[in-house]
Amino acid sequence: MEKIPSHTKKRHFGMVIDLDKCTGCASCMVACYSENNISFRDEESVKMLSTNWIQVFKLTNGKPFPDTEVCYLPKPCMQCDGKHFGHSPCVSVCPAVATDFDYPTGIVSQIYTRCFGCRYCMAACPYHARKFNWWDPVWPADMEKYLSPDVSPRMRGVVEKCTFCYHRFQRARQQAYNEGRPEDIREDEYQTACTQACPSNAITFGDLDNPDHAVYKLKNSRYAFRLLERLNTNPSVYYLSTREWVHRAADNYLEHEQPAFSEEQQA
Amino acid sequence: MSTQTDNTSNTPSNDPSPKKGATGWVILAFFIIGFGFSLLSGWVGFPKLLYKEVPHPIDFNHALHMDLVYDGCDSCHYFRKDGSFSGSPTLDECRDCHGFVMGINENEEKFAEEYVLEDKEVPWNNYAKQPDCVYFSHAPHVKGAEMDCATCHGDIGESESLRPYQENRLTGYSRDIWGWNMSRLGEPEYAPRMKMMDCVNCHVEQTDSKGNCFQCHK
Amino acid sequence: MTTPAIPEGVKRCGSRQFLLWLGVAALVVLWGVYAMYRIWFYGLNQTNMNNAYGFALWIWADLAVIALGGGAFFSGFLAYIIGLKNVKNIINFAVILGVVCYTSALLILGLDVGQPLRGWFIFWHANVHSMLTEVAFCLSVYLGVLIIEFIPVLLENPKIQKVRFFHHLSHNMHEIMAVFAATGVFLSFFHQGSLGGVPGVLYGRPFAFREGLFVWPWTFFLFTWSAAAVGPLFTASMCRLTEAITRKKLVKDDVYHLLAKISGWMLLTYIIAKSIDTIYWATVTAPSMGFALMDFYSNNPLYNIWILVAEIAVCGFLPALILITRKGRENKKLLFGAAILAIIGLLINRWVMVLQVMAAPLMPFQEEWFMYSPAWTEVATSILPIAYGIILISLAYRYLPLFPQEKELNPGN
Amino acid sequence: MFPFLYEWHWDIGHYLFMGALGYASAVIGLGLVYCIGKSIIDTAGEDENAGH
Amino acid sequence: MKIDRRCFLSLAGGLVAGHLLSPVPWKVTDDLSIWTQNWPWTPVPETGPVAWKETVCTMCPGGCGIKVRMIKDRVIKIEGSEDYPINRGSLCPLGYSSIQYLYGPSRVTSPMKRTGERGSGKFEPVSWDEAISEVSGKLDALRKNGQSHTVACISGSDKGTVPLLFKRFLEAYGSPNFIRTPSGQDAHETAAYLAQGHSDKNVGFDLENATFILSFGCGLLDGGGAPGYQFSTYSRFDRRHTLVQVEPRLSNTAAKAKKWLAAKPGTEGALALGLARVIIENGLYNRNFIENHSFGFEDWTDDNGAIHMGFKRMVSEYTPSRVAGITGLEARQIESLARDFARAQKPVAVCGYNECRAVADIDKTLAVHALNALVGNINQSGGMIVFPDPEYTVSPVEKDRIASTGLTKPRADMAGTDKYPQSRYLLNLLPDILMSAKESDLPVQALLVTGANPVYTLEDSTTAQAAFAKIPFIVSFSSFMDETAQYADIILPDHHFLEGYRDVPPPEGVGKPITGLSKPVVSPRYDTRNTGDTIIDIARKMGGSISNSFPWDGYEAFLKEALKDQYRDLSRNGYVENVEKPAALDVAFATDSGKYEFYPTRRHTTGNGDEAKLPGFKETDVPGKETSGGVILIAYKSPRIASGAVANPPFMTKTIDADMLKKEKLFIQINPETAGKLNLKQGDEAVIETSAGKASVKVDLYDGIMPGLAAMPAGLGHTAYSRYIAGKGVNVNALLQPVADPTYGINKAWGIRAQLKKA
């Protein structure tokens, strides 16, 4: 199809998050706020009104003291491919093509100026990855000074979500063009803000289809799984955990069913 | 009621009764008046209302500067190391030459007095200024596709005086983006128009693709 | 001599009483308008919606009024295409109800979007794969059809009829009304279906997701079917309510009986289809995604399993069985009781397909159900259409010959 | 909505959707034009008739 | 020609038709939507050339290297610096969000003078001259009255050049009252003094080279201590590394540990001794260290011929089964932990230094140090490192008669007095001392506060507030309108750390002596001044010998002189590592025996006998009355909440989970079992009451907390700063109460008895 410009290299960016490493410190969240001009209000405790592109959840294994275990699970937008390539749950429902599956990168785009705020995509997203701008964004005092020109501040009434820091990809690409090596972008040249911020190196980011990238190997690990994989959303974000209960907590199972990981463990 | 109809029925066109009212021609005339008025006000008056002329802070003479610099456009509009484009030069960059009043002409004096001495950045009007939602990088176009400046910016580099700059009162856009012709017909002589589909059309020609949303939006 | 504004041969209440009646409704409208002002000027933070409830009361209200307004399309289908003469006695009323429902739906949509001034993007930048695009297009074109269907009725006001052009227009439009009606039925079939498609295609939401037939999920057909079944019952019930308020017989009983009979069978077949769909979903679709039926029904009273029982048994099979029996139809209390049950069933269905979809937790580590209660602004704007409908219907009833049988049924006026 | 817009693709989805929609709109539009036209003629004819 | 209604209809029709064929409706519709895309009130960030600048973050004492992304003169983003040896790229949420303080509404934008009541936050801006004259005037008056010793300075740190200037100022002025805020370092310093003989050295742990970290309740991954250092250490963990966490609550650290041992709080010392016993009994200790570099391991005889009990005999009583009884753990667990620890390649035991609160149990700390000594990892790679402060070369202070007299007076906080002769700072005692003093005889007449927010961070903060309110004159040097600044009479605002120079001394607890330099990346946004400059100005204004002691033009000049040779490297690399390697074991100990003293002979005790000197386990009394149905309240540290001198910026508050804070209500964590006893359910409104105060909270049931305990996060419940920070949750310090160690005065209470009832 005409989807990919002739001069563009095709990639499929994705993330692998090692849940055994994640400490739940929220550096990724804060780095994301700062990187992506995410607005805040004085009241942020009602999480379903709060804008987060990546959010760290706390999972417990449900066992009583002292056999309790905790696992932290950072959840960005999963950049789903959907049932067939590009048929992401949110993309197919957007009536105005404000969100689209970016074929050259495998990232789900979101164009705030096209979005008119119908929120159908939010209804379609099982991960609650999409957030609506219920209020006009306001930065108190002269905090507007720290806003980055790489990411447009959103206006009231539109949906926003994690973009895998697409502007960093653009930045890397611009640099590559400037240096006369178009489309040749090294693995370390494009990393998301959260990946870079994670103080315990729990997040790995790269081209899932490129055997030279770290994520390629990690996503094929036997400890790898994805969130709500059974919905056929086909996320580009993988998780790693050696703990069986974490695998179970990441998807829904009927009583007699088991995650593939547990079956493997028992075998 | 019926009698009235009878009275007037013989001379329907010459002597319209008060009840019968105007004839078809008169009605048509009114229609044309309304139609014409709307067309006129819409095509002529409305653009004047919609756009406001913003005076240039300095009537910059590109031609004059081109003669003085070594590196063409790149002398003042250059790529930074990271591949970003510098755009209009900052006051500091102008200062390299304009440290003091040289007294070349009125504009130069004005520039030196109002900006250099006052240490104030010049609020240049940018004809090609895109809104915040647009991501545009010069590097792929100039370095990758080896396009000339004039392809998009017209012959501004050779101009001796800045052409008028108009701003859309509603959107704040430069009038160049939509094009000076309200109907967007024909090619403008100053430079190509810069609405989204103008970019897309060129991309389709050059890359066989409309491009992706994120390619140009942020 | 002046032409009376009120149609000939019918009696209407005094203007003072009428104005009072309108005034009360207007107050409710004003309340809604104030809410609209709050929403448009301060944004959607004036509502109680949140990121879990991106779709809430309004979308439900939209789905509900459009389903109920389905009476217009199905009555039109019966009257103009099947050619059931008897239905023509209520068709004008059905059309007006349709106009009320559809304009309300568009108004609420205009409120519900975060950027109303960009609302036209849905047409201009249409994504033809989105069910919402289909809804928007068919809905607005169908509203056009409804207005076209309404125009001849409007033109029949004696004062307007005096203008010859309008007189002819009304006549000519009547002549080819079947064409409009047929187009309307076509459009309506699709947008009722698309509304069903709206939740049905959400494959990330196992509660709503229904597998498909061609490019449409099951809910596409179920929504059309249920609107066709219950819409006429809503028309009939509203007509009966008008009769009660005006204390006049406006439509002959056999019209009601006919509608009830058709609706009864439609409802029965619908609810059977719905049951099959539910069983298939509960035993095949949902389990394939790891969900047991009871995962979708919470312990909290609002989203409990009773809602399924109520929808299918109490408000589905029960009224269907009443309506398909002659005895049931001919007993007024049973007939309208069944109609109200069926309407409630439809409202529950739309509620479930919007609100419960949002409420049910998906991620296994998130145990809580998302709860939501509408803000006053949402309630006010959702009630506004009712008051607005009352005003429009009152005006139409007063000044237009809505009911061809009225004169005959109320002699001596 | 139109082929000159960014979102447009010459694909089956657009043929079906826009085709059906265009068809319905055309029927409605033509029907309306017919009614209005005929009514104008009827009205004019009435005036003529009244004259004789 | 006749004109009628139809003409006008036609005109209207023409107008409409013409209109539709003109650009007006279409362009207006389009442009209106474009207007919504560019609402004038939605900011459009300016572009420009990008630059990265390296500096050091000082939002907490962790001292992480950061790189700052600048666009023109604007700070856009902060990231961890990969090249900085402490954090090696890692950075905590507070570091990332510190730009919000640079630009935030919490800044004090100019010198302020109080106009309203204490704590009301009503101030008026004054000029720097005026403010400094006011301060020097007040101080001068006190000095002339012979009350120079009643001036105190509370500082968040006693290291680095700014605290050095304050110390110097007090010395020249004539007051002994330089007071550091309580920290875990208090106990480590004391232990290092007792066991190793150093009175003012830093105790750090070389975590990055250790392979087995046994943590007695350290919030290593909860944002305590030097978070960048600890996170970066953890990020390099692989299969060969082990972290064991001993803590009654499943904290973030415990969740990430290979093993979590939920020992009863306050019994960690017993566990350490139990481990020591297993190690000794099985001969797993480092013989070389014990035989050549330690003292008091075996029983020993003093000069008078009296036989004293050695460490070995003392711990022999701590059998695994007995320790299991004390700690609530299993004997099996204790034995295997001891073996794993002792057999590990590079084991290290840590405690206390980065808890959210300064719980300073000397016995416990000595026991943990002893564990390190047993495996011989003192001053070894991957072990416990003791190193000196960076050296500052400045001329001696010129003291006049008043200064000399003032300096001989006892300290206001009683540190170093007969009662607590071996303690250096005892701020935790000050509130009670002030409260019991008469107005006329107040031991503190003027207070300078720098890098600290004691009104908020001191336990029993309500009493602290009342006590500080009694001080006639308070000067705050805070950059932000914090709680203490609100109590001040004069605020002399410091720069934000991105606006000025400052040396960053080696962070507490970090096992390598790195000094960093925080450099300005932006010019000061407001009318603020580097506190170093301010204190020099005040000194200059006071004249005489005080002025003579401050001969520098400003802080930068002082900094250059004080750091001497180091300055060049500092300004070039951003940091400098102490060239001095950790001392070799033969010269490492300054004790009388010249060895590591398992039996701390110098220890000041109330009673006599070996039990008092040796670090045996003594149960700590928990303050408060024991009642049926009561709980013990503990505070915990969350990496998402800044609980130190600086409050949470809005970004961090945004990360706080819904089960920690909801609207203004804070959640208190209790075990479901405890909840059952107290008849509480998830989300219930409840009231918690202690002898210090009471607060209304919500209940959060958490399986990961020991039954009988209730935990609240530290760092919320602020009343100052801005509306983005104030009024959220409860300040747990207002519910806690310190218990002074009888011989050292430092606080040793780890919790407080509380009543938790349904509201």
Side-chain angles (χ1 to χ4, degrees), chain E residues 566-580:
Chain E
Q566 292 189 341
Y567 188 79
R568 208 191 43 203
D569 289 348
L570 258 182
S571 57
R572 198 171 47 207
N573 303 333
Y575 67 91
V576 50
E577 187 157 4
N578 250 2
V579 277
E580 219 177 300

Side-chain angles (χ1 to χ4, degrees), chain C residues 116 191 193:
Chain C
H191 81 244

Side-chain angles (χ1 to χ4, degrees), chain A residues 19 21-25 27 35 39 42 45 47 51 72 113 136 142 145-147 168 196-197 199, chain E residues 37 41 74 77 79 90-91 93 96 100 103 234-235 252 256 525-526 640 654 656 663 723 728:
Chain A
L19 299 184
K21 273 249 142 151
C22 173
T23 63
C25 72
S27 276
E35 179 79 21
S39 65
D42 53 350
S45 71
K47 292 299 162 191
T51 305
Y72 297 96
T113 44
D136 271 310
D142 54 358
K145 284 264 176 0
Y146 72 59
L147 295 180
R168 288 183 168 220
Q196 201 181 31
Chain E
Q37 295 168 343
W41 56 90
R74 304 191 294 125
K77 175 94 188 284
E79 283 171 15
S90 295
L91 192 63
Y96 278 101
Q100 290 201 306
Y103 294 113
Y234 170 74
S235 76
N252 291 43
K256 293 290 111 180
R525 299 202 51 73
Y526 308 108
R640 303 186 189 185
K654 197 174 161 94
I656 297 176
K663 298 269 169 76
R723 68 191 172 99
K728 296 180 189 308

Side-chain angles (χ1 to χ4, degrees), chain A residues 113-148:
Chain A
T113 44
R114 175 60 70 78
C115 174
F116 65 89
C118 75
R119 306 183 297 288
Y120 193 8
C121 54
M122 297 173 72
C125 175
Y127 304 104
H128 291 297
R130 292 175 160 275
K131 313 283 159 158
F132 187 71
N133 282 275
W134 301 99
W135 287 268
D136 271 310
V138 176
W139 282 270
D142 54 358
M143 276 200 200
E144 279 184 13
K145 284 264 176 0
Y146 72 59
L147 295 180
S148 162

Side-chain angles (χ1 to χ4, degrees), chain A residues 8 27 50-51 78 91 93 120 123 133 174-175 218 247 258 262:
Chain A
T8 305
S27 276
S50 173
T51 305
M78 300 283 141
V91 167
V93 301
Y120 193 8
N133 282 275
Q174 169 170 283
Q175 179 111 30
L218 288 173
H247 284 250
Q258 296 239 353
S262 331

